[in-house]
Amino acid sequence: MVKKKFSGLEVSLIVMLLLVMTVAVALIVLMVTGEPAVIKEETIVPECPNIPLAERVNCFPDAGASKSACQMRGCCWSPLDERNVPWCFFSTNHGYSLVSEERPNSLSARLKRMAAPSLFGSDIEELSFLAEMQTVNRLRFKISDPLSKRFEVPHEHVRDHVTQVPGSLNYEIELTHKPFSLKVRRAATKKVLFDTAVGPLVFADQYLQLSARLPSHNIYGLGEHVHQNYRHDTMWKTWPIFTRDAFPNGGTHNLYGHYPYFLCLEDESGKSFGVFLMNSNAMEVTLQPAPAVTYRTIGGVLDFYILLGDTPEQVVQEFLELIGRPVIPPYWSLGFQLSRWDYGSLDEVKKTVERNRAIGIPYDVQYTDIDYMEDKKDFTYDLVKFRDLPSFAEYLHSKGQKYILILDPAVATSPRINGPYESYDRGTKKEAWVTEADGKTPIVGEVWPGETVFPDYTNKDCIEWWADEYERFSKEIKHDALWIDMNEVANFKKGSIKGCADNKLNYPPFTPNILDGVMYSKTLCMDSKQAWGDHYDVHSLYGYSMVLATDVALKRVFGTKRTLMLTRSSFPGVGKYSGHWLGDNAANWNDIKWAIPGMLDFGLFGVPYIGADICGFFDNSTEELCRRWMQVGAFYPFSRNHNAQHYMPQDPAAFGENSLLVNSSRHYLNIRYTLLPYLYTLFYKAHTAGDTVVRPVMHEFYSDRRTWTVDRQFLWGKSLLITPVLDPVTYIPDAVWYDYETEVRMEARKQEVEMFLPADKLGLHIRGGAVLPIQKPAVTTVYSRLNPLGLIIALDNNNAAGELFWDDGDSLGISTKSQRVIVCVMHSGYSDPNNLRFENITVLGVIREPLTVHVTDGNNITTHPFTYDTYRQVLYLRGLELILGQNYTVSWSQPEFERFDCYPEPDRHFIKTKKNAYIAPIHLSPDYSARPESPDINTLRVEIKYHSADLLQFKIFDPTNKRYEVPVPLTVPPNPETDETKRQYRVQIQANPFGIQVYRNSTGTLIWDSALPGFTFSDLFIQVSTRLSSEYVYGFGETEHPTYKHNLGYHTWGMFSKDQPPGYKKNCYGVHPFYMGLEMTAHAHGVLLLNSNAMDVTFQPTPALTYRTLGGILDFYIVMGPTPELVVQEYTNLIGRPVLPAYWSLGFQLCRYGYANDTEIAELYSDMRAAGIPYDVQYADIDYMERQLDFVLDRQFLGLPALVDTMRTEGMRFIFILDPAISGNETDYPAFERGKAKDVFIKWPKELSNDIVWGKVWPDLPDVKVNESLDWDTQVKIYRAYTAFPDFFMNKTATWWHREIADMYKNITFDGLWIDMNEPASFVHGTVGEKCLGPAVYDNPPYMPPLESRERGLNHKTLCMNSQQHLSDGTPVKHYDVHNLYGWSQIKPTYDAVLSVTGKRGVVVTRSSYPSSGKWSGHWLGDNYSSWDQLLKSIIGMMEFSLFGISYTGADICGFFNPAEYEMCLRWMQLGAFYPYSRNHNSKFNPRQDPVSWNASFAEASRDVLNIRYSLLPYLYTLMFHAHNAGSTVIRPLLHENVPFDVTREVKGYIPDDRWYDFHTARAIGLRGQLVTLPTPLNHINLHVRGGYILPWQKPENNTRYSRKNPLGLIVSLSDSGTAKGSLFWDDGEGIDTVGEGQYLLTLFTAASVSSHFHFMIWRDMELSLFISISYPFVLGSPHFATRWFIVILMGEALLGPMGKHAFINTSQTSVAVLCLPIQKQFHTAIRHCQNASLCMLVCVCLAQFRCGRNPAKWPVRCVCIQLCVRVSMCPCLAQGLG
């Protein structure tokens, strides 16, 4: 046989086959054994560092550590005789190395894993590191997998940070490359706060670990657990964090909430920081004595926030700014509360209520636990044992109490007793349940009702189901708030009734040290599915998501009414919505102690509404324990006594009505209720600033090391120390303390003491320096809130301060300095319906008995009796009547010196002066140059000009270097008033200190006195102060003032025009540096500072005023009045009289930002006509423009020109909006192209650039579709076009603007223009790219007034201040100087264009304004909000603009932002019907709010009130004429009409001292000079006509075109003396300058009742006669006419030809006989052409007595003949015309 030879190909194939077989075998072995068959991991010898034991980081946190197992992990083994120190610890081989790093605006890096064995497998090789410097005090760093998306917490409040932080950071970050670590240092001290080099970074799929060395052992927080002490023990303590239904029995196990957050106090300086890990997976945190912290979590990412503060309290504030500040609970929820699980029946509940009512225990709230339900099923109640539950809330409400019930998340699957369980059925239909791993099958467990499913509150459909079920149930069972429990989520089965699958979610490679050591113990399987992800990731968010869903439900049921939510499970951010209790504690002495650290922890966590179950939940409580617990529980923020099923009742009354427990409980609950105003104020501070309510002693006394561990005492705020009887000795912090009950000052401070606290007492001490608002207590808050208020003042070195927040957000600041109490109202937007007063003030620590006590109320000073306790050194003031919401000073001994702020910047320093212990603001600086960037001007010139008897000017300027002066022309007499005897004033100059003093000659009153400290004149900062003649000061704007009269309690108001909706102390659209002051003699004067730079004014109680401006000169004008009305007339004579608007513009107007197309406008117009609602003007907002481009019509509005033409033929008018910003991103946009060619746009100075200063406003880029769901900044960045801003100072710009408006008019007709966004507004700050050219000092000057976003600089939301403009004479000016004039400069060119292109008067309405803007335009009060307070504030705003010379003004009726509420909008329509500028206008995305958008009743009420307006338009038009002609006000404050100004501060319901007639009934009201309660049914507005006046009126129609054709009438309201006077101005309503051309009619009326006759005279200044019929004036108050007599004017037949026909106007009650007297056309024509003569005509006024059933021709008639004299021309045609 021949041996076979293989070819080369065959050999190759055989070799390949053998290789494949080898690999296959290896793979099979690997599959079977789970280990590599051939390839072995390279053995790494651990490099073990020589480190202290305290710095070892555990490498074997799981069980089973041994030497071999430790070395297999590449770690170091070193056993000890101490088990809590790690025997197996990390080597230096582990971790990651930094391979690349980037630092643009944030810090990012790429990390690569170092070669080392894995702890638990699936390590991620490459990681992404990102550090964000979010604020100056907040650093975020995040470590994540860049290649695979991992679960991250979808937090409701925390958002990604995109803006760059202005200013220097208070921290520094340093990265180490290998192994990777980071250090965070405090920038000022270089102290390392967080150093991860202590241990390696581990990042596997299901195991993430990070360690950090900390600067101190003072660590507080982490939760939720029972912490036996507030400060953590760092001796190797491990705390698991994973929400769990467990008992808080003192172990280290995990409880209900999930809080991976701690605070670290660095040292005695108080400097502290917080660390928050945003991760919701199961984790554990180990604290070790390095000191260091190690986090081990089993999912998600490492998302850390480091928060810095100068004090622990500031760190809490920073944390709450991040996660959301706490909700402010309803006042009643601060009352005492009772609950228990299983009362057994409602009858037993009522017995409990009654027995506690009977003993007089203050007690506000009663609960029912799950026993009220049918078989413990949600949304049901037991129809047998709790059959009367539907009426239970009413039973409680009748006594001022509230009812709270419980709901659990788990929903039973079983039916109800008598039918299906519809809540379960509806939830199933909605697919509302958490599912098994398949994502479809609801996971089933067992809770209280038996077999249950679990709502998935992360599912939108589930939230809707939950809210719907709650709404249904709330209609059945009325209650006041909701308690949600078992939401960890709790399950009595392990995972589910089916168990849980064996997979890596249910059994992860590493399980933290959680209770039971099993992930799904007492909860759901980890692989179950929710909308947010696997339950493995979101388990600890279950309670959080339930809170968010419940908030939706509560808002649906309670609307705007405040309610309460109480949750057991929580996560950071829950405090924004809910309170929390510390869970199912027990009746033992440990739990009463441990409750205090628990409350302090939740203060850190942002949940200040916190407390423990008083007397314990489980077990029977002894009387002593419960008594002591009731004492301390009276000072829990959430104060509830609650216990469990099968235990003895423990409500106070259960211990016997005369028991020591009852008496002690009643005593301390009465103290609690006394102090509720203080506690409520603390919650306000928590809600608005993030302050703690229950406060650790360490937070206030951090410089004292002994306070770092104090946790058996706590504070309310900073001022009340609560010391329960828990330890034999108590620590007294380093402060002055007064015993609350004895009022005696303690001798001890900064030492331990043994307090004498018998069985019925606990320690309660007030801190020196505090002012505590108090109120007489009652058995519920409903009644206590009716009682008088008081103050407890605890002096510390003669100083004290405090605050009061009351009800809907108004805070009353109370401060004491030296020997006086100042009650200074900081915000007064709420008037308490109970007319609350401060009755009692107790002042602790008054060393000597005062001689007298004075109470100052405004100008009234009264002496008040007092008592003084010499032993206690306590001053008692009783029987005071200090009205809540008003300003008072209570003084004893000497008054305080006047002080003027030398350092107004916000970063001021404070020092104490020794003399009288005053607190004074002092600028600490090595020299006295406060602002080096603003050099002082050493030589100044003063010019004083005596322009007229009532006008004075003084001007202070630099005579050497010309400075910017305001280019607004004023009207001053050509020659000064040289005769001193004629001047109303005299002026004195004081040399040292320099000052100008102005006196009123007639009274000697000093009305201006700037001879005060602080006068500064530097390049970029000018300051001058003046004393005021009284505290009654009005004006300055534009900003939202809470009262018309200024509050002089150290308030500063910034002025700088800005696109800023109205808000308290927010500078808005216009600038008006003008005020009117009243003098104590009731004279008035006005002061204008003609300066257009950014500025502020500060008022202080001296009374005094300080101006600060950033440039220009000081140019003051004073007008002398001497009446308020004359002040306005003189001021408008100086700046220019208000424009006379077109008659039609006084009609009602409609507008909306958000019309989708012209069809919507057409339908609105049709609906308004159908409803018969008077309506003259329709607007189009920017929606009509294509992409918001000026002058370009959008394709959705192509039918608008035809619609406008149609509407105008029917008497309507149309106004369009124009913004100044012009898009520069268009290829064919004539407006921009022509403007660029004419060089009309604002540019940089040539030395910087020749480019336009580009901004971004409304215009969009071409060819983009805007996604409005994106955040605003993103929309601006990607959609908004570059825009240029016209420089309206230049004449060529006015010409260009006129051309564009004229072209627009050719395409679409209009009657007026509305100019907006002309502050000027920009959506980028300064310019596109936000990098302003030129010196930065102009955008960020050395002094920044307190403007909105002052920290962002002057260029925030507008142009760069170095932008250059040119005045009309070509002078270049910085935008810095003329910014506030931008709107002013646009107004006149716009007004001129309107008149030119329309040929009619028209109107212009502007948003931004400056003194003299009223000459050409009206103004609306800006983008207000739809809320009740805006009605009042609109009145204040209109009165202020009346002072400013802008008569045509009003607010957006029903509000611009936010949805309007029905009654509020209706009331606003009634008020707005009397705005001079009456427009209903609201914003995009809100429901319509026009009169026909509600219902028929609303439309009818609107029609009725607008008919009144239209009837009175002749009167309003006449007022507008007088404003235009003489400068008088249209909207007029009561004080202008000689009402004593000390009562006009309260105008609501005040009837001034004169005769008044009800407009609706024509009857004299018989009241005067008093506050009255006026009826206010929904369809009624109170209108009163003042006696002594004649009002012209006219029958209303749907618009003014038709109403002007109707007969005119008069309302004659007689004064006390039986006289009346009035006038009528009339012209064609729209002609240009009819007054200047003399083309008008002015008619004066007088009336008098003499003897038995009534005389009525009409005087006409008749330059132009129009078609007028005067018919039936109503005479109000004539003593000669009964109500059934009516007056008819009958003009002689011989004068006017044949008589007209009788006309009968029928009403439901009477008929009025009217003689219609048409004036012949020939007569009209004849008079129009004649001049220089007069004519007298005989007019008879006849009274016809009404007789039912008789022929009107036979009615008895009495006539009084009167002479009518008319000045007219006499010429032949007139004689012929008159026959």
Side-chain angles (χ1 to χ4, degrees), residues 447-510:
V447 196
W448 294 117
E451 186 179 282
T452 57
V453 290
F454 300 87
D456 177 9
Y457 295 106
T458 70
N459 178 347
K460 291 182 180 178
D461 290 336
C462 174
I463 296 171
E464 176 57 33
W465 163 81
W466 180 252
D468 179 62
E469 294 302 322
Y470 182 63
E471 187 175 21
R472 292 169 185 263
F473 188 56
S474 298
K475 293 175 181 176
E476 191 173 8
I477 305 298
K478 299 297 181 187
H479 58 280
D480 300 285
L482 186 59
W483 166 27
I484 52 178
D485 195 7
M486 305 295 287
N487 53 347
E488 290 72 31
V489 56
N491 179 10
F492 298 162
K493 295 290 184 182
K494 288 190 175 182
S496 77
I497 60 174
K498 300 177 183 178
C500 297
D502 183 359
N503 58 40
K504 68 176 186 178
L505 297 182
N506 294 316
Y507 300 95
F510 171 76

Side-chain angles (χ1 to χ4, degrees), residues 890-1055:
V890 180
S891 59
W892 60 98
S893 190
Q894 298 176 356
E896 187 185 59
F897 294 115
E898 296 173 332
R899 294 178 181 269
F900 292 87
D901 199 345
C902 180
Y903 194 78
E905 284 85 346
D907 58 337
R908 65 180 67 190
H909 304 272
F910 290 91
I911 64 170
K912 282 189 177 182
T913 62
K914 293 181 180 179
K915 188 175 182 180
N916 292 332
Y918 291 122
I919 305 294
I922 305 293
H923 179 222
L924 303 178
S925 178
D927 57 33
Y928 293 98
S929 177
R931 300 168 188 88
E933 306 99 319
S934 180
D936 289 342
I937 296 170
N938 295 323
T939 303
L940 298 173
R941 182 177 177 84
V942 181
E943 285 186 359
I944 302 174
K945 296 181 180 180
Y946 309 118
H947 286 298
S948 68
D950 51 38
L951 176 62
L952 163 72
Q953 177 191 4
F954 55 89
K955 181 174 172 180
I956 304 174
F957 59 97
D958 181 352
T960 307
N961 300 297
K962 183 170 175 58
R963 294 173 59 82
Y964 163 77
E965 297 187 27
V966 177
V968 172
L970 302 182
T971 303
V972 295
N975 299 310
E977 178 55 71
T978 57
D979 187 346
E980 292 184 19
T981 62
K982 294 181 178 178
R983 299 179 198 150
Q984 294 189 44
Y985 52 82
R986 59 186 170 91
V987 180
Q988 290 183 356
I989 304 295
Q990 182 167 310
N992 189 17
F994 165 75
I996 297 174
Q997 297 172 323
V998 181
Y999 294 84
R1000 182 178 295 280
N1001 272 332
S1002 60
T1003 63
T1005 301
L1006 184 62
I1007 63 174
W1008 177 277
D1009 180 8
S1010 60
L1012 295 171
F1015 176 55
T1016 304
F1017 201 118
S1018 64
D1019 185 33
L1020 300 179
F1021 180 79
I1022 303 173
Q1023 174 174 296
V1024 64
S1025 301
T1026 178
R1027 288 185 180 89
L1028 300 171
S1029 58
S1030 81
E1031 64 178 293
Y1032 297 97
V1033 183
Y1034 311 84
F1036 288 122
E1038 179 177 7
T1039 190
E1040 181 181 275
H1041 294 136
T1043 57
Y1044 182 48
K1045 171 189 169 291
H1046 274 288
N1047 181 341
L1048 270 57
Y1050 296 100
H1051 286 277
T1052 300
W1053 302 91
M1055 286 183 278

